[in-house]
Amino acid sequence: GAVVSQHPSWVICKSGTSVKIECRSLDFQATTMFWYRQFPKQSLMLMATSNEGSKATYEQGVEKDKFLINHASLTLSTLTVTSAHPEDSSFYICSAVVLRGSSYNEQFFGPGTRLTVL
Amino acid sequence: QKEVEQNSGPLSVPEGAIASLNCTYSDRVSQSFFWYRQYSGKSPELIMSIYSNGDKEDGRFTAQLNKASQYVSLLIRDSQPSDSATYLCAVNIRPNSGYALNFGKGTSLLVTP
């Protein structure tokens, strides 16, 4: 199957500190990974597209200097929340796409990282 | 932002019944459609993908797609209490240029014993 892992699964930090979240594809290579954020009782919202070997593409309204994304290899993307504040507290979920032929794609999600900023 | 609309529910069905979940989308050029199940506090789990008009069956699940009506649905037969979860409809945001997903807000399903 297509397995995506995330680390850590949860983190609590003080306001103003930075937090790094790792996303790994365990049994396949992922040239593209995605980072989503989910607030309580809300749906997933795409934050950015992480491309191996190039700069990430951020969605409108997402601060690229605050949410640093690095996709250094075909199996690892990292999201760093810099100078975190309580409003950044959320469930961060990464995903990777498995391409099946030229037309079909399926996206698999990591287990998520729950960030709480005090 | 293109919209994906779902009834938030909760949808309550008795055990053994058919649960019917519906979703509409606004971007007419969307090509790929997905249903995910999300348990509270967990990340989404892919249930079905559908790309062509018509029905697609996988076990107790059937996805239905009607591109002319911009409508996609999920039927769950013989519903079980373990099916109680939030079901998210998702559509490719930018067809043919990436695979990021635009999610609906989800429908909460409760299957009662």
Side-chain angles (χ1 to χ4, degrees):
Chain A
V3 180
V4 179
S5 70
Q6 270 184 254
H7 178 80
S9 56
W10 60 270
V11 58
I12 301 174
C13 69
K14 293 182 178 180
S15 184
T17 60
S18 295
V19 175
K20 178 186 283 189
I21 303 170
E22 293 185 348
C23 176
R24 295 181 185 273
S25 57
L26 297 186
D27 52 0
F28 65 102
Q29 293 183 331
T31 56
T32 301
M33 293 182 174
F34 301 99
W35 288 95
Y36 295 83
R37 179 168 56 181
Q38 186 176 34
F39 292 106
K41 306 294 185 183
Q42 301 293 316
S43 192
L44 281 76
M45 293 296 294
L46 179 67
M47 298 177 65
T49 302
S50 173
N51 302 298
E52 187 269 335
S54 65
K55 291 183 178 180
T57 303
Y58 292 82
E59 295 301 302
Q60 188 174 7
V62 178
E63 301 174 57
K64 61 181 180 181
D65 294 331
K66 180 171 182 63
F67 299 98
L68 302 179
I69 291 173
N70 185 283
H71 195 149
S73 76
L74 288 172
T75 60
L76 173 63
S77 175
T78 60
L79 169 68
T80 301
V81 183
T82 63
S83 186
H85 288 92
E87 58 267 29
D88 298 322
S89 298
S90 187
F91 192 41
Y92 291 85
I93 313 172
C94 72
S95 71
V97 174
V98 175
L99 299 178
R100 306 187 190 282
S102 61
S103 303
Y104 304 109
N105 61 90
E106 292 179 346
Q107 196 165 138
F108 295 89
F109 287 84
T113 297
R114 188 159 303 281
L115 170 64
T116 302
V117 184
L118 301 176
Chain B
Q1 172 76 314
K2 305 298 183 180
E3 298 294 332
V4 179
E5 300 286 347
Q6 292 181 258
N7 188 321
S8 62
L11 173 65
S12 182
V13 299
E15 184 175 356
I18 296 175
S20 178
L21 304 164
N22 304 313
C23 171
T24 59
Y25 58 95
S26 64
D27 191 348
R28 185 169 292 277
V29 301
S30 296
Q31 297 294 323
S32 305
F33 308 87
F34 307 88
W35 283 100
Y36 286 85
R37 177 172 61 196
Q38 187 176 27
Y39 293 109
S40 180
K42 303 295 185 181
S43 68
E45 171 193 8
L46 180 65
I47 296 176
M48 295 280 286
S49 58
I50 187 166
Y51 305 93
S52 305
N53 281 328
D55 295 358
K56 179 182 178 182
E57 185 175 320
D58 183 0
R60 294 187 297 112
F61 300 98
T62 299
Q64 299 173 317
L65 174 61
N66 184 326
K67 291 185 178 180
S69 300
Q70 295 175 239
Y71 174 90
V72 59
S73 66
L74 179 69
L75 300 177
I76 306 175
R77 290 181 297 282
D78 188 23
S79 296
Q80 300 297 308
S82 59
D83 294 327
S84 298
T86 297
Y87 288 80
L88 303 173
C89 174
V91 178
N92 277 143
I93 291 178
R94 291 178 283 269
N96 302 321
S97 60
Y99 305 100
L101 297 174
N102 188 12
F103 283 87
K105 292 187 176 180
T107 298
S108 176
L109 173 66
L110 177 63
V111 181
T112 56

